Amino acid sequence: MRSAPFTLLLSAFLCAAGCSDSGDGDGGETTGSGGATGGTTSGGTTSGTPSGATTGSGEASASSGATTGSGDTTSASNGATSGSGGATSGSGTGGEGTGGSDGTGGGASARVPAASASTLREAGEKANPPLLIGAAISGGGLGNNDYKRVAAAEHNYVTAENEMKWDALEPSAGNFSWGSADNIVNWARQNNMKVKGHTLVWHSQLPGWMSSMTGKANVEAAMRRHITQVMGHFKDRLDHWDVVNEAVQTDSDTGVGNPRMRPTVFYNQIGESYIDLAFQIAREQDPKAKLYYNDYSIDARNDKVEFVYNMVKGMVDRGVPIDGVGFQMHIGPPNNEAGGADVAANMKRFTDLGLEVLISEMDINRCGGVVTAEEQLTYYHDIVAACFKEPKCTAVTFWGINDGRSWLNSWSGALCNGQSSQSLLFNDQYGKKETYNRVMNALLGK
Ligand code: G3I
């Protein structure tokens, strides 16, 4: 792993000299960065203006019926005591459960891979204990039949890329807008995919009325209403939640320098206890839900993850109802790099606290030449393998389906300048890339 300042300088230089390979093709999506109300700081980069989003021929948008996923969908059905690792978990029935008993990581000492699989989803479902294979899904993507086909065939876990964020769900105080989120949740359920709610409390994509609120009691009341209403609306359909997202910051988006609580409206008005409070409200709303803390550049050892580890340990020690930690795993600019061995060691520290861990938003950005093609393949294999080998790592979610739709393409700190980040598992014709093969190998224990 190179030091961040060096890589960023190098990448800036390389970019100036002709940044990155071009993307795969259809350029069908304009993502745009910045512009979210309340300012955006996500994936690390404080952002403001779009930086030349890709444009192209557009997407075929007519959608005619959800595709059906391949493979069976009983993500926790293989409760057999198995083989070499002596795994004895998988006690869940049909993929649902609570408090660590859903067949994912319930005490097994090793995860046993499937003998073979034709999709990532199948590899995850046949492993023992099973591993959820996720993707960030966008409402725009669901307008494309190829996107839907690949998304449902290869994944059994969905995170809405933007549609369940505060500005989308509660654009004005107390008035909720469910349509876009319901579309994604309903599509996922039609395809026997679980959904993780993302995200209840976050400083970004926060409507102006909320980010400018003052007064502890006001902010607490607004946070309580939002969590209660949102979890209540989806209660019968999903029971995994990112409760608090990105509460910690450092001087660099790579997780280096002066780790501290991020000065959000929640922190500024309530203090650090807002995090405990958010989890407590979420637990009151759903006693059985899995409740996660989620953050970026905490994937291996650095200043930020030390701070987050101590924060989370404090929560566990105080009895705050947290079930796990999501390592976003955005590798490359604007975030950190992390090797498989470091990721595994870091996961172990958190699982030793009695928590689940998840890879929650994985992509590996090639822009700027900071991460080479060969490094990308090694990272994809080794990092997914680190999760696969850890039975308490319960999910791997990729942050998108195909390269052309990646948020990185237009994110100013990602050094792409509208070029393809080449960061995901499928190209723009929805063909499998070598990155897909490396991930599949990791899921099959190879
Ligand atoms: O919907 C508007 C559109 O109406 C407007 O014309 C356009 C102009 O820029 O913006 C559109 O909104 C954009 C939105 O994505 C939907 O495309 C926002 O500007 C843009 O900021 C937003 O970016 C999202 C980013 O979160 C915001 O922080 C990315 O798509 C999304 O992938 C990204 O996801 C985050 C996770 O939630 C948390 N972890 C980091 C991760 C990557 O940044």
Side-chain angles (χ1 to χ4, degrees), residues 3-4 10 24 35 53 58 63 69 145 167 175 247 250 310 361 374 385 387 407:
S3 73
L10 175 65
D24 292 295
S63 87
N145 285 333
D167 63 353
N175 295 312
T250 48
N310 288 324
E361 306 187 8
E374 203 50 47
C387 172
W407 68 287

Side-chain angles (χ1 to χ4, degrees), residues 33-337:
S33 77
T37 48
T40 61
T41 305
S42 138
T45 304
T46 304
S47 171
T49 53
S51 60
T54 54
T55 55
S57 56
E59 289 282 337
S61 63
S63 87
S64 56
T67 53
T68 50
S70 68
D72 63 50
T73 57
T74 50
S75 66
S77 60
N78 48 352
T81 303
S82 63
S84 57
T88 56
S89 70
S91 59
T93 53
E96 290 291 334
T98 63
S101 62
D102 65 352
T104 50
S109 59
R111 177 175 272 120
V112 180
S116 65
S118 56
T119 63
L120 303 178
R121 172 179 183 151
E122 186 184 3
E125 287 169 351
K126 284 184 172 175
N128 182 19
L131 178 67
L132 291 165
I133 307 296
I137 297 296
S138 69
L142 293 184
N144 179 291
N145 285 333
D146 288 326
Y147 178 102
K148 287 195 296 188
R149 174 180 52 76
V150 170
E154 299 285 350
H155 310 86
N156 58 4
Y157 196 38
V158 166
T159 306
E161 186 171 2
N162 287 298
E163 292 76 359
M164 295 179 75
K165 294 172 180 175
W166 196 309
D167 63 353
L169 294 184
E170 193 183 359
S172 64
N175 295 312
F176 290 82
S177 172
W178 307 114
S180 302
D182 279 343
N183 284 345
I184 290 180
V185 172
N186 293 340
W187 172 83
R189 285 165 54 82
Q190 285 161 17
N191 290 283
N192 298 307
M193 303 160 96
K194 279 186 81 70
V195 181
K196 179 169 64 140
H198 174 81
T199 177
L200 292 169
V201 179
W202 188 30
H203 66 283
S204 182
Q205 288 170 287
L206 203 56
W209 64 266
M210 186 63 220
S211 56
S212 60
M213 188 176 283
T214 55
K216 182 172 189 275
N218 292 336
V219 174
E220 279 185 4
M223 189 172 83
R224 179 176 292 279
R225 178 180 61 200
H226 187 78
I227 294 173
T228 303
Q229 292 289 315
V230 172
M231 289 184 72
H233 179 79
F234 295 105
K235 189 162 188 175
D236 297 332
R237 293 177 287 168
L238 60 109
D239 58 4
H240 288 197
W241 288 96
D242 287 333
V243 177
V244 175
N245 196 40
E246 301 174 5
V248 174
Q249 68 177 21
T250 48
D251 291 345
S252 157
D253 289 331
T254 59
V256 175
N258 192 21
R260 57 203 184 271
M261 297 302 300
R262 188 186 296 277
T264 68
V265 65
F266 307 104
Y267 178 75
N268 293 344
Q269 301 298 322
I270 300 174
E272 188 170 346
S273 66
Y274 88 85
I275 299 176
D276 291 7
L277 181 61
F279 278 85
Q280 284 154 357
I281 295 167
R283 177 58 77 228
E284 285 166 21
Q285 182 59 30
D286 188 344
K288 295 181 174 179
K290 292 288 185 72
L291 306 178
Y292 302 123
Y293 176 77
N294 192 52
D295 213 329
Y296 65 88
S297 290
I298 60 166
D299 318 306
R301 290 265 179 177
N302 59 23
D303 298 335
K304 184 170 180 178
V305 74
E306 292 306 313
F307 190 95
V308 168
Y309 176 82
N310 288 324
M311 181 186 87
V312 167
K313 183 173 186 308
M315 294 169 71
V316 171
D317 290 347
R318 289 192 297 278
V320 175
I322 179 173
D323 294 294
V325 174
F327 304 104
Q328 292 187 7
M329 213 64 71
H330 295 292
I331 301 291
N335 297 142
N336 65 330
E337 293 181 47

